[in-house]
Amino acid sequence: METLVIMGAGQFGRAAVSLINRDFFSILAAADQDSRLWGTSLEGIPVMSFPEAMALKPDTLLISVSGRDRRETMKSQAEHLGFHGNIIFMDEMRRYFDIRSAVLLRLCKRLNRMEIPGSLAELGVYKGDTAWKLNLFLPHRRLYLFDTFQGFAETDIAEEKARSLSRAGAGDFSDTSEEAVISRLPFPDQAVIRKGFFPDTASGLEREAFALVSLDADLYAPTLAGLEFFYPRLSPGGAIILHDWDSRRFPGAGEAVRDWEQQHGPLPLVPLGDLHGTAVIIHP
């Protein structure tokens, strides 16, 4: 069995602990430049400085950060500390394999095979990276796209700050437009843009049934509003793909789930184990 050190104890590092095949690798430690993390643990794996981790003489390094510059810097630091073994870049692996998209495709196939009725929806569209897949995989279904297309709303950011959640700012993710998203869709006639503040933009859809919903609002307030609106309207066998349920960057999404469950009871939720803490909720 090869020994391995994870370099980077953030969101990607946390996901890596779950994704690494423990039949082949023994994880010795996670290393990070942030001294505040030293002496803590990452899903039970000790977090330490780079020199301490390299002193363990691992066979393999998994560099679990995003961005070419960051990963090359970590590689250089490891080599400067005397490491000459195998190096795996988590960011490179993400280019080739996408757990969330694979699950989305299989869910769409199941919806068609089981003839589960209902429309599609996405709350938190941004540039349409998921919207175009929904539109492609289920081209005969109406697709409702909910977004401000102006970034995070100030009221939602105020809620984040009041709850000491993310460091998101008003207007983050504003570099998009409804026209840009529509231009990416293979079947744009099936799309209905609902621009503005959710749940106000859901007005008139109270009787709509949904087969599949992408809930990618990042923040506490819109995630909770999304669960309250969409989950009761899911067809039996329908699903919500919930982004950031187990995210360090946007912990509000997970808190919204916990608060919803405290009021309504446990959700039938299954974690995916991808790099962004996605989960799938299936309506019985």
Side-chain angles (χ1 to χ4, degrees):
M1 180 177 292
E2 292 186 33
T3 56
L4 179 144
V5 163
I6 299 170
M7 295 190 72
Q11 180 68 30
F12 278 20
R14 186 181 182 190
V17 173
S18 301
L19 290 168
I20 289 170
N21 190 336
R22 302 295 187 92
D23 292 334
F24 295 95
F25 292 99
S26 174
I27 306 174
L28 300 179
D32 203 278
Q33 294 174 311
D34 188 348
S35 61
R36 294 171 298 180
L37 299 178
W38 300 347
T40 65
S41 64
L42 186 69
E43 306 294 337
I45 304 299
V47 180
M48 57 188 65
S49 68
F50 285 2
E52 288 176 308
M54 294 304 99
L56 299 175
K57 300 187 181 303
D59 300 310
T60 299
L61 293 185
L62 176 64
I63 297 183
S64 57
V65 297
S66 62
R68 180 180 178 84
D69 290 344
R70 292 182 68 199
R71 68 174 184 256
E72 289 299 326
T73 297
M74 282 193 173
K75 177 185 176 184
S76 297
Q77 289 174 323
E79 292 173 343
H80 179 74
L81 290 168
F83 181 80
H84 300 291
N86 185 37
I87 297 179
I88 303 171
F89 296 107
M90 176 76 84
D91 203 28
E92 281 291 303
M93 297 299 293
R94 184 176 61 156
R95 292 181 58 198
Y96 300 105
F97 303 103
D98 183 354
I99 294 173
R100 185 162 56 139
S101 291
V103 170
L104 176 63
L105 174 60
R106 285 162 175 78
L107 280 173
C108 290
K109 288 181 176 179
R110 174 175 169 78
L111 292 176
N112 278 340
R113 185 172 62 251
M114 299 297 294
E115 298 183 347
I116 295 171
S119 299
L120 313 174
E122 182 167 41
L123 173 56
V125 177
Y126 190 35
K127 294 186 177 182
D129 290 344
T130 298
W132 77 261
K133 297 169 191 170
L134 288 167
N135 190 228
L136 176 66
F137 297 157
L138 295 170
H140 302 298
R141 300 192 188 231
R142 181 69 67 195
L143 172 60
Y144 293 97
L145 299 175
F146 299 88
D147 203 297
T148 66
F149 294 98
Q150 296 176 345
F152 293 147
E154 292 185 3
T155 53
D156 292 338
I157 292 301
E159 186 75 14
E160 293 288 297
K161 292 180 178 179
R163 293 175 175 271
S164 300
L165 294 169
S166 69
R167 291 179 289 180
D172 287 356
F173 298 99
S174 61
D175 55 332
T176 185
S177 69
E178 55 267 44
E179 294 83 8
V181 170
I182 288 294
S183 71
R184 297 188 65 184
L185 302 182
F187 303 98
D189 290 345
Q190 288 291 75
V192 178
I193 296 287
R194 290 278 181 139
K195 181 179 179 179
F197 187 77
F198 190 89
D200 298 346
T201 50
S203 177
L205 298 177
E206 291 80 7
R207 295 183 178 274
E208 191 81 16
F210 296 91
L212 184 58
V213 176
S214 171
L215 182 44
D216 191 3
D218 297 331
L219 309 181
Y220 172 85
T223 299
L224 183 59
L227 288 171
E228 290 174 341
F229 181 81
F230 289 114
Y231 185 72
R233 294 173 174 83
L234 281 181
S235 298
I240 294 174
I241 298 180
L242 175 60
H243 201 223
D244 293 317
W245 166 73
D246 188 29
S247 169
R248 285 189 173 183
R249 183 184 180 189
F250 295 115
E255 183 162 323
V257 170
R258 289 188 290 273
D259 285 355
W260 193 97
E261 290 181 315
Q262 286 182 356
Q263 183 175 356
H264 302 286
L267 285 164
L269 180 151
V270 179
L272 293 188
D274 68 338
L275 298 181
H276 296 284
T278 303
V280 174
I281 302 169
I282 304 290
H283 198 290

